[in-house]
Amino acid sequence: MAEALEEAKSGLNRTLKDLFAGAVGGVAQVLIGQPFDIVKVRLQTTTQYKGALDCASQILKNEGAAAFYKGTLTPLIGIGAC
């Protein structure tokens, strides 16, 4: 009986570690990928930029670094489910 209880605790600990690691990886994925998504969407929806670097530099110059993370909260909340 004691061995079964220890095995159950060990399995639970492993599952919690896996879930936590997955969530951390997902958050990192969103935080790294979001600026690229912002640039991609801007390039797809307007013709005012000459290319990706021009788009990124104008966003940084005109709106600041925080503009690259507009709308990030929703993906961060949803990434835990993934």
Side-chain angles (χ1 to χ4, degrees), residues 14 17 24 26 28 32 40 48-49 57 60 64 66 72 76 79 81:
R14 179 64 184 179
K17 285 180 186 177
V24 169
I32 291 169
K40 177 189 73 166
Q48 73 182 26
Y49 304 111
S57 64
L60 185 62
T72 303
L76 281 176
I79 199 67

Side-chain angles (χ1 to χ4, degrees), residues 30-31 34-35 38 66 68-77:
V30 169
L31 292 178
Q34 188 69 18
I38 294 291
F68 289 108
Y69 292 97
K70 287 181 182 176
T72 303
L73 183 59
T74 305
L76 281 176
I77 292 170

Side-chain angles (χ1 to χ4, degrees), residues 41-80:
V41 168
R42 297 270 181 108
L43 288 171
Q44 289 174 337
T45 58
T46 186
T47 58
Q48 73 182 26
Y49 304 111
K50 296 175 186 170
L53 288 177
D54 180 50
C55 179
S57 64
Q58 284 191 36
I59 291 171
L60 185 62
K61 182 176 120 185
N62 297 332
E63 301 175 50
F68 289 108
Y69 292 97
K70 287 181 182 176
T72 303
L73 183 59
T74 305
L76 281 176
I77 292 170
I79 199 67

